[in-house]
Amino acid sequence: MAFNFGVIPSTNYFVEGAKVDNATTEKNQKIKPRYTFSGEPKMVPQWREVQWTEEQKKSLMQRVGSYGPGSGEATRARVLLLGPVGSGKSSFISSVQSVFDGRVTNRAMVGSSSASFTKKLQSFAIRSQKGEDPTGLVLCDVMGLGEGEMTGLTLHDALAVIKGHAPDGHKFSAEQPVRSETAGYVKKPSLKDKIHCVVFVVDASKVLSYSRGLCTSFQQLREHISDLGVHQVALLTHVDKVCMETAKDITQVYKSQIIQQMMERAGALLGMSTSYIVPVKNYSSQLDLDVNSDVLLLSAVDHILQYADLYFQDNTTTEHKVSL
């Protein structure tokens, strides 16, 4: 079954005095946020607490770097990123690795076209700081969710990845879905082969223009994934494109009413409470790291790992539980 995402005609949206113009050229979209305000963007009391300090960054790096699944059957948490083309899945992977590398790196290759640049299932084991052991986190990138019957990841293949049947490096094709005859097909996946948490990636600057078909497809996906007992969270990317104050200072992210509203819209799109959604700012044009962006990225990873842990708690074998 392929996802079919319609395209909403160009139109203007209004959010608390903010005008969204979908007809804005791509060139202008890259230069400034897609929102133009008649006045200053409305800021509200901070609605999530974050410590924007170097000490907090180090604490989060230590927590993520020393993470290990609470299971003897798997040594790493495999996390699958799912989202429309251009939502920022690959950029998130590269940004997380950049924090640990201490410099901006492009671990996962990123494209700029309307078609999905990622065509294969790629697993990226996040490396810890130099001289330390690898982290217990693997971020898995797949083909983006497209806008036509013959483009994008299908529901069948998405579930094959989550169940652990799809081999790493498998190239996705609507004409050749993952099946038992597929080269490298994993017939009897063990716990270490499966996906332990699914992360939906949504672009804040496009959340108002995503189609109803996309909303239906997201929620259909979520229902099937929930049936597998896999927990799901979401990332709201490109938050710096929807709020000028946040673009200037990422520490304003939890004071921005616009971003708060975009998170609520993302929640409605996914059929998910906003408590599962976290905003992030990926590294794209920057050449140097920023401690505040790092804290936001690491907080998102920590959030993801909490839900991966729930999967391990639910799926650790009885024998292992007894031995504890």
Side-chain angles (χ1 to χ4, degrees):
M1 176 179 179
F3 295 112
N4 185 13
F5 306 140
V7 180
I8 290 182
S10 176
T11 185
N12 292 335
Y13 297 83
F14 294 84
V15 182
E16 292 292 314
K19 180 180 177 182
V20 183
D21 184 3
N22 282 353
T24 305
T25 65
E26 185 64 27
K27 180 179 179 181
N28 288 338
Q29 289 170 358
K30 292 179 180 178
I31 295 175
K32 61 184 180 180
R34 297 186 183 203
Y35 293 82
T36 55
F37 297 86
S38 56
E40 289 296 315
K42 187 173 181 180
M43 308 306 284
V44 296
Q46 187 160 308
W47 38 281
R48 280 185 186 171
E49 290 300 320
V50 179
Q51 297 178 40
W52 305 102
T53 64
E54 184 69 36
E55 290 70 23
Q56 177 67 358
K57 173 184 172 178
K58 290 178 180 177
S59 175
L60 287 166
M61 286 183 71
Q62 194 280 329
R63 190 184 308 170
V64 173
S66 62
Y67 172 81
S71 167
E73 300 177 68
T75 58
R76 293 177 178 175
R78 287 175 55 81
V79 174
L80 176 64
L81 304 179
L82 288 177
V85 174
S87 57
K89 299 184 283 76
S90 301
S91 292
F92 177 72
I93 294 171
S94 292
S95 297
V96 171
Q97 186 60 68
S98 294
V99 177
F100 284 96
D101 286 347
R103 59 187 178 86
V104 176
T105 56
N106 293 312
R107 184 79 188 281
M109 297 182 69
V110 180
S112 59
S113 68
S114 59
S116 180
F117 188 78
T118 302
K119 303 292 185 183
K120 302 184 295 184
L121 169 60
Q122 296 177 288
S123 300
F124 297 91
I126 299 302
R127 303 185 300 260
S128 59
Q129 290 177 291
K130 187 176 180 180
E132 296 183 6
D133 294 333
T135 71
L137 172 65
V138 175
L139 295 177
C140 302
D141 198 8
V142 291
M143 191 176 194
L145 306 178
E147 294 185 341
E149 287 292 339
M150 300 304 290
T151 63
L153 192 70
T154 64
L155 173 61
H156 172 87
D157 282 356
L159 296 178
V161 172
I162 295 167
K163 293 176 183 178
H165 293 301
D168 199 45
H170 173 75
K171 188 171 183 179
F172 297 101
S173 168
E175 298 88 352
Q176 296 181 320
V178 177
R179 57 184 63 175
S180 57
E181 295 80 15
T182 298
Y185 182 86
V186 182
K187 294 183 179 180
K188 295 183 178 180
S190 63
L191 187 64
K192 65 181 179 61
D193 299 313
K194 299 178 180 180
I195 293 298
H196 310 125
C197 180
V198 170
V199 179
F200 289 98
V201 185
V202 177
D203 184 342
S205 68
K206 298 177 181 177
V207 70
L208 292 178
S209 60
Y210 284 142
S211 70
R212 289 188 180 88
L214 177 58
C215 178
T216 300
S217 297
F218 267 136
Q219 295 187 23
Q220 183 182 42
L221 248 176
R222 291 203 62 230
E223 182 178 347
H224 283 277
I225 295 170
S226 294
D227 287 344
L228 297 175
V230 179
H231 295 275
Q232 303 138 62
V233 297
L235 299 177
L236 186 70
T237 60
H238 301 133
V239 293
D240 52 315
K241 291 185 177 181
V242 299
C243 173
M244 291 184 293
E245 291 301 314
T246 300
K248 291 186 290 186
D249 180 3
I250 197 64
T251 67
Q252 301 301 300
V253 66
Y254 286 125
K255 295 181 181 179
S256 169
Q257 187 177 56
I258 289 295
I259 290 176
Q260 189 176 39
Q261 291 171 339
M262 292 303 99
M263 288 181 65
E264 291 171 355
R265 293 298 183 96
L269 175 74
L270 295 166
M272 179 183 287
S273 166
T274 54
S275 63
Y276 295 99
I277 304 172
V278 289
V280 294
K281 177 184 177 183
N282 292 331
Y283 287 110
S284 54
S285 60
Q286 305 95 316
L287 296 178
D288 299 308
L289 297 181
D290 169 68
V291 63
N292 296 323
S293 297
D294 292 351
V295 166
L296 201 60
L297 286 162
L298 290 167
S299 297
V301 175
D302 186 54
H303 179 74
I304 292 167
L305 289 175
Q306 291 179 41
Y307 287 93
D309 257 352
L310 290 178
Y311 180 89
F312 290 118
Q313 291 175 27
D314 295 340
N315 291 276
T316 300
T317 61
T318 303
E319 291 79 8
H320 183 61
K321 289 180 179 178
V322 171
S323 68
L324 295 176

PDB file of all heavy atoms in Angstrom, residues 190-214:
ATOM      1  N   SER A 190      15.339 -10.880  15.515  1.00  0.00           N
ATOM      2  CA  SER A 190      15.487 -10.904  16.966  1.00  0.00           C
ATOM      3  C   SER A 190      15.234  -9.492  17.486  1.00  0.00           C
ATOM      4  O   SER A 190      15.035  -8.548  16.705  1.00  0.00           O
ATOM      5  CB  SER A 190      16.891 -11.365  17.346  1.00  0.00           C
ATOM      6  OG  SER A 190      17.862 -10.454  16.863  1.00  0.00           O
ATOM      7  N   LEU A 191      15.272  -9.308  18.785  1.00  0.00           N
ATOM      8  CA  LEU A 191      15.009  -8.008  19.370  1.00  0.00           C
ATOM      9  C   LEU A 191      15.978  -6.953  18.837  1.00  0.00           C
ATOM     10  O   LEU A 191      15.596  -5.804  18.582  1.00  0.00           O
ATOM     11  CB  LEU A 191      15.109  -8.083  20.899  1.00  0.00           C
ATOM     12  CG  LEU A 191      14.703  -6.827  21.672  1.00  0.00           C
ATOM     13  CD1 LEU A 191      13.229  -6.513  21.467  1.00  0.00           C
ATOM     14  CD2 LEU A 191      15.011  -6.987  23.160  1.00  0.00           C
ATOM     15  N   LYS A 192      17.219  -7.333  18.604  1.00  0.00           N
ATOM     16  CA  LYS A 192      18.224  -6.370  18.148  1.00  0.00           C
ATOM     17  C   LYS A 192      18.001  -5.925  16.698  1.00  0.00           C
ATOM     18  O   LYS A 192      18.526  -4.896  16.278  1.00  0.00           O
ATOM     19  CB  LYS A 192      19.636  -6.960  18.289  1.00  0.00           C
ATOM     20  CG  LYS A 192      19.921  -8.166  17.414  1.00  0.00           C
ATOM     21  CD  LYS A 192      21.327  -8.685  17.636  1.00  0.00           C
ATOM     22  CE  LYS A 192      21.623  -9.917  16.779  1.00  0.00           C
ATOM     23  NZ  LYS A 192      21.531  -9.640  15.340  1.00  0.00           N
ATOM     24  N   ASP A 193      17.219  -6.684  15.928  1.00  0.00           N
ATOM     25  CA  ASP A 193      16.950  -6.340  14.529  1.00  0.00           C
ATOM     26  C   ASP A 193      15.788  -5.360  14.386  1.00  0.00           C
ATOM     27  O   ASP A 193      15.673  -4.673  13.366  1.00  0.00           O
ATOM     28  CB  ASP A 193      16.616  -7.590  13.713  1.00  0.00           C
ATOM     29  CG  ASP A 193      17.752  -8.601  13.693  1.00  0.00           C
ATOM     30  OD1 ASP A 193      18.898  -8.170  13.452  1.00  0.00           O
ATOM     31  OD2 ASP A 193      17.487  -9.799  13.922  1.00  0.00           O
ATOM     32  N   LYS A 194      14.939  -5.312  15.397  1.00  0.00           N
ATOM     33  CA  LYS A 194      13.702  -4.535  15.298  1.00  0.00           C
ATOM     34  C   LYS A 194      13.933  -3.063  15.625  1.00  0.00           C
ATOM     35  O   LYS A 194      14.982  -2.670  16.118  1.00  0.00           O
ATOM     36  CB  LYS A 194      12.653  -5.125  16.250  1.00  0.00           C
ATOM     37  CG  LYS A 194      12.290  -6.568  15.931  1.00  0.00           C
ATOM     38  CD  LYS A 194      11.293  -7.126  16.935  1.00  0.00           C
ATOM     39  CE  LYS A 194      10.940  -8.587  16.613  1.00  0.00           C
ATOM     40  NZ  LYS A 194       9.977  -9.154  17.578  1.00  0.00           N
ATOM     41  N   ILE A 195      12.923  -2.255  15.306  1.00  0.00           N
ATOM     42  CA  ILE A 195      12.933  -0.844  15.676  1.00  0.00           C
ATOM     43  C   ILE A 195      12.317  -0.721  17.064  1.00  0.00           C
ATOM     44  O   ILE A 195      11.258  -1.291  17.348  1.00  0.00           O
ATOM     45  CB  ILE A 195      12.139   0.000  14.652  1.00  0.00           C
ATOM     46  CG1 ILE A 195      12.854  -0.010  13.293  1.00  0.00           C
ATOM     47  CG2 ILE A 195      11.951   1.423  15.164  1.00  0.00           C
ATOM     48  CD1 ILE A 195      14.253   0.598  13.308  1.00  0.00           C
ATOM     49  N   HIS A 196      12.971   0.044  17.926  1.00  0.00           N
ATOM     50  CA  HIS A 196      12.544   0.146  19.320  1.00  0.00           C
ATOM     51  C   HIS A 196      11.807   1.438  19.641  1.00  0.00           C
ATOM     52  O   HIS A 196      11.207   1.562  20.713  1.00  0.00           O
ATOM     53  CB  HIS A 196      13.768  -0.010  20.228  1.00  0.00           C
ATOM     54  CG  HIS A 196      14.592  -1.213  19.872  1.00  0.00           C
ATOM     55  ND1 HIS A 196      15.938  -1.147  19.583  1.00  0.00           N
ATOM     56  CD2 HIS A 196      14.251  -2.525  19.723  1.00  0.00           C
ATOM     57  CE1 HIS A 196      16.402  -2.354  19.289  1.00  0.00           C
ATOM     58  NE2 HIS A 196      15.397  -3.210  19.362  1.00  0.00           N
ATOM     59  N   CYS A 197      11.854   2.388  18.731  1.00  0.00           N
ATOM     60  CA  CYS A 197      11.098   3.638  18.874  1.00  0.00           C
ATOM     61  C   CYS A 197      10.989   4.278  17.495  1.00  0.00           C
ATOM     62  O   CYS A 197      11.947   4.244  16.722  1.00  0.00           O
ATOM     63  CB  CYS A 197      11.798   4.593  19.847  1.00  0.00           C
ATOM     64  SG  CYS A 197      10.942   6.176  20.103  1.00  0.00           S
ATOM     65  N   VAL A 198       9.834   4.848  17.192  1.00  0.00           N
ATOM     66  CA  VAL A 198       9.633   5.544  15.921  1.00  0.00           C
ATOM     67  C   VAL A 198       9.490   7.037  16.198  1.00  0.00           C
ATOM     68  O   VAL A 198       8.735   7.450  17.087  1.00  0.00           O
ATOM     69  CB  VAL A 198       8.381   5.028  15.181  1.00  0.00           C
ATOM     70  CG1 VAL A 198       8.050   5.921  13.989  1.00  0.00           C
ATOM     71  CG2 VAL A 198       8.599   3.594  14.717  1.00  0.00           C
ATOM     72  N   VAL A 199      10.222   7.826  15.438  1.00  0.00           N
ATOM     73  CA  VAL A 199      10.180   9.282  15.578  1.00  0.00           C
ATOM     74  C   VAL A 199       9.624   9.887  14.296  1.00  0.00           C
ATOM     75  O   VAL A 199      10.215   9.741  13.225  1.00  0.00           O
ATOM     76  CB  VAL A 199      11.586   9.856  15.858  1.00  0.00           C
ATOM     77  CG1 VAL A 199      11.517  11.378  15.967  1.00  0.00           C
ATOM     78  CG2 VAL A 199      12.175   9.245  17.127  1.00  0.00           C
ATOM     79  N   PHE A 200       8.481  10.544  14.404  1.00  0.00           N
ATOM     80  CA  PHE A 200       7.925  11.253  13.261  1.00  0.00           C
ATOM     81  C   PHE A 200       8.557  12.635  13.198  1.00  0.00           C
ATOM     82  O   PHE A 200       8.699  13.322  14.219  1.00  0.00           O
ATOM     83  CB  PHE A 200       6.400  11.368  13.390  1.00  0.00           C
ATOM     84  CG  PHE A 200       5.696  10.065  13.195  1.00  0.00           C
ATOM     85  CD1 PHE A 200       5.287   9.301  14.282  1.00  0.00           C
ATOM     86  CD2 PHE A 200       5.457   9.571  11.924  1.00  0.00           C
ATOM     87  CE1 PHE A 200       4.651   8.081  14.103  1.00  0.00           C
ATOM     88  CE2 PHE A 200       4.817   8.351  11.726  1.00  0.00           C
ATOM     89  CZ  PHE A 200       4.418   7.607  12.822  1.00  0.00           C
ATOM     90  N   VAL A 201       8.964  13.039  12.007  1.00  0.00           N
ATOM     91  CA  VAL A 201       9.652  14.313  11.813  1.00  0.00           C
ATOM     92  C   VAL A 201       8.764  15.226  10.976  1.00  0.00           C
ATOM     93  O   VAL A 201       8.391  14.892   9.848  1.00  0.00           O
ATOM     94  CB  VAL A 201      11.019  14.105  11.128  1.00  0.00           C
ATOM     95  CG1 VAL A 201      11.766  15.433  11.039  1.00  0.00           C
ATOM     96  CG2 VAL A 201      11.856  13.082  11.904  1.00  0.00           C
ATOM     97  N   VAL A 202       8.422  16.376  11.545  1.00  0.00           N
ATOM     98  CA  VAL A 202       7.497  17.317  10.910  1.00  0.00           C
ATOM     99  C   VAL A 202       8.160  18.692  10.809  1.00  0.00           C
ATOM    100  O   VAL A 202       8.757  19.176  11.775  1.00  0.00           O
ATOM    101  CB  VAL A 202       6.190  17.426  11.730  1.00  0.00           C
ATOM    102  CG1 VAL A 202       5.255  18.449  11.111  1.00  0.00           C
ATOM    103  CG2 VAL A 202       5.503  16.071  11.813  1.00  0.00           C
ATOM    104  N   ASP A 203       8.052  19.301   9.657  1.00  0.00           N
ATOM    105  CA  ASP A 203       8.632  20.621   9.394  1.00  0.00           C
ATOM    106  C   ASP A 203       7.683  21.708   9.894  1.00  0.00           C
ATOM    107  O   ASP A 203       6.563  21.842   9.396  1.00  0.00           O
ATOM    108  CB  ASP A 203       8.867  20.762   7.885  1.00  0.00           C
ATOM    109  CG  ASP A 203       9.558  22.054   7.489  1.00  0.00           C
ATOM    110  OD1 ASP A 203       9.570  23.005   8.289  1.00  0.00           O
ATOM    111  OD2 ASP A 203      10.083  22.110   6.358  1.00  0.00           O
ATOM    112  N   ALA A 204       8.125  22.512  10.878  1.00  0.00           N
ATOM    113  CA  ALA A 204       7.270  23.561  11.443  1.00  0.00           C
ATOM    114  C   ALA A 204       6.834  24.570  10.401  1.00  0.00           C
ATOM    115  O   ALA A 204       5.724  25.115  10.470  1.00  0.00           O
ATOM    116  CB  ALA A 204       8.011  24.271  12.576  1.00  0.00           C
ATOM    117  N   SER A 205       7.682  24.830   9.407  1.00  0.00           N
ATOM    118  CA  SER A 205       7.364  25.835   8.396  1.00  0.00           C
ATOM    119  C   SER A 205       6.377  25.326   7.343  1.00  0.00           C
ATOM    120  O   SER A 205       5.903  26.102   6.509  1.00  0.00           O
ATOM    121  CB  SER A 205       8.639  26.324   7.707  1.00  0.00           C
ATOM    122  OG  SER A 205       9.220  25.308   6.912  1.00  0.00           O
ATOM    123  N   LYS A 206       6.058  24.019   7.397  1.00  0.00           N
ATOM    124  CA  LYS A 206       5.125  23.455   6.417  1.00  0.00           C
ATOM    125  C   LYS A 206       3.905  22.812   7.065  1.00  0.00           C
ATOM    126  O   LYS A 206       3.013  22.328   6.364  1.00  0.00           O
ATOM    127  CB  LYS A 206       5.832  22.399   5.557  1.00  0.00           C
ATOM    128  CG  LYS A 206       6.982  22.933   4.731  1.00  0.00           C
ATOM    129  CD  LYS A 206       7.680  21.811   3.962  1.00  0.00           C
ATOM    130  CE  LYS A 206       8.858  22.329   3.157  1.00  0.00           C
ATOM    131  NZ  LYS A 206       9.587  21.233   2.468  1.00  0.00           N
ATOM    132  N   VAL A 207       3.860  22.820   8.398  1.00  0.00           N
ATOM    133  CA  VAL A 207       2.821  22.057   9.083  1.00  0.00           C
ATOM    134  C   VAL A 207       1.415  22.542   8.736  1.00  0.00           C
ATOM    135  O   VAL A 207       0.467  21.750   8.716  1.00  0.00           O
ATOM    136  CB  VAL A 207       3.055  22.084  10.615  1.00  0.00           C
ATOM    137  CG1 VAL A 207       2.801  23.461  11.196  1.00  0.00           C
ATOM    138  CG2 VAL A 207       2.198  21.040  11.313  1.00  0.00           C
ATOM    139  N   LEU A 208       1.260  23.823   8.396  1.00  0.00           N
ATOM    140  CA  LEU A 208      -0.066  24.337   8.036  1.00  0.00           C
ATOM    141  C   LEU A 208      -0.471  23.978   6.608  1.00  0.00           C
ATOM    142  O   LEU A 208      -1.645  24.060   6.259  1.00  0.00           O
ATOM    143  CB  LEU A 208      -0.106  25.857   8.200  1.00  0.00           C
ATOM    144  CG  LEU A 208      -0.012  26.392   9.634  1.00  0.00           C
ATOM    145  CD1 LEU A 208      -0.016  27.902   9.634  1.00  0.00           C
ATOM    146  CD2 LEU A 208      -1.142  25.856  10.497  1.00  0.00           C
ATOM    147  N   SER A 209       0.495  23.591   5.793  1.00  0.00           N
ATOM    148  CA  SER A 209       0.179  23.289   4.396  1.00  0.00           C
ATOM    149  C   SER A 209       0.209  21.795   4.085  1.00  0.00           C
ATOM    150  O   SER A 209      -0.035  21.403   2.949  1.00  0.00           O
ATOM    151  CB  SER A 209       1.146  24.027   3.456  1.00  0.00           C
ATOM    152  OG  SER A 209       2.483  23.652   3.700  1.00  0.00           O
ATOM    153  N   TYR A 210       0.495  20.967   5.092  1.00  0.00           N
ATOM    154  CA  TYR A 210       0.409  19.524   4.864  1.00  0.00           C
ATOM    155  C   TYR A 210      -1.044  19.156   4.567  1.00  0.00           C
ATOM    156  O   TYR A 210      -1.975  19.691   5.176  1.00  0.00           O
ATOM    157  CB  TYR A 210       0.889  18.750   6.085  1.00  0.00           C
ATOM    158  CG  TYR A 210       2.393  18.716   6.265  1.00  0.00           C
ATOM    159  CD1 TYR A 210       2.961  18.789   7.539  1.00  0.00           C
ATOM    160  CD2 TYR A 210       3.256  18.585   5.189  1.00  0.00           C
ATOM    161  CE1 TYR A 210       4.344  18.739   7.727  1.00  0.00           C
ATOM    162  CE2 TYR A 210       4.634  18.533   5.364  1.00  0.00           C
ATOM    163  CZ  TYR A 210       5.168  18.609   6.638  1.00  0.00           C
ATOM    164  OH  TYR A 210       6.529  18.568   6.809  1.00  0.00           O
ATOM    165  N   SER A 211      -1.240  18.205   3.677  1.00  0.00           N
ATOM    166  CA  SER A 211      -2.585  17.859   3.224  1.00  0.00           C
ATOM    167  C   SER A 211      -3.340  16.986   4.217  1.00  0.00           C
ATOM    168  O   SER A 211      -2.763  16.373   5.117  1.00  0.00           O
ATOM    169  CB  SER A 211      -2.504  17.120   1.886  1.00  0.00           C
ATOM    170  OG  SER A 211      -1.948  15.830   2.083  1.00  0.00           O
ATOM    171  N   ARG A 212      -4.650  16.927   4.027  1.00  0.00           N
ATOM    172  CA  ARG A 212      -5.473  16.037   4.855  1.00  0.00           C
ATOM    173  C   ARG A 212      -5.080  14.588   4.617  1.00  0.00           C
ATOM    174  O   ARG A 212      -5.168  13.747   5.500  1.00  0.00           O
ATOM    175  CB  ARG A 212      -6.957  16.239   4.531  1.00  0.00           C
ATOM    176  CG  ARG A 212      -7.525  17.552   5.022  1.00  0.00           C
ATOM    177  CD  ARG A 212      -9.040  17.601   4.843  1.00  0.00           C
ATOM    178  NE  ARG A 212      -9.588  18.869   5.315  1.00  0.00           N
ATOM    179  CZ  ARG A 212      -9.702  19.965   4.590  1.00  0.00           C
ATOM    180  NH1 ARG A 212      -9.277  19.949   3.332  1.00  0.00           N
ATOM    181  NH2 ARG A 212     -10.207  21.062   5.078  1.00  0.00           N
ATOM    182  N   GLY A 213      -4.643  14.299   3.387  1.00  0.00           N
ATOM    183  CA  GLY A 213      -4.201  12.937   3.082  1.00  0.00           C
ATOM    184  C   GLY A 213      -3.001  12.554   3.909  1.00  0.00           C
ATOM    185  O   GLY A 213      -2.879  11.410   4.356  1.00  0.00           O
ATOM    186  N   LEU A 214      -2.112  13.501   4.132  1.00  0.00           N
ATOM    187  CA  LEU A 214      -0.944  13.237   4.956  1.00  0.00           C
ATOM    188  C   LEU A 214      -1.358  12.971   6.392  1.00  0.00           C
ATOM    189  O   LEU A 214      -0.830  12.075   7.054  1.00  0.00           O
ATOM    190  CB  LEU A 214       0.028  14.414   4.890  1.00  0.00           C
ATOM    191  CG  LEU A 214       1.280  14.315   5.768  1.00  0.00           C
ATOM    192  CD1 LEU A 214       2.081  13.072   5.432  1.00  0.00           C
ATOM    193  CD2 LEU A 214       2.145  15.559   5.597  1.00  0.00           C
TER     194      LEU A 214
END
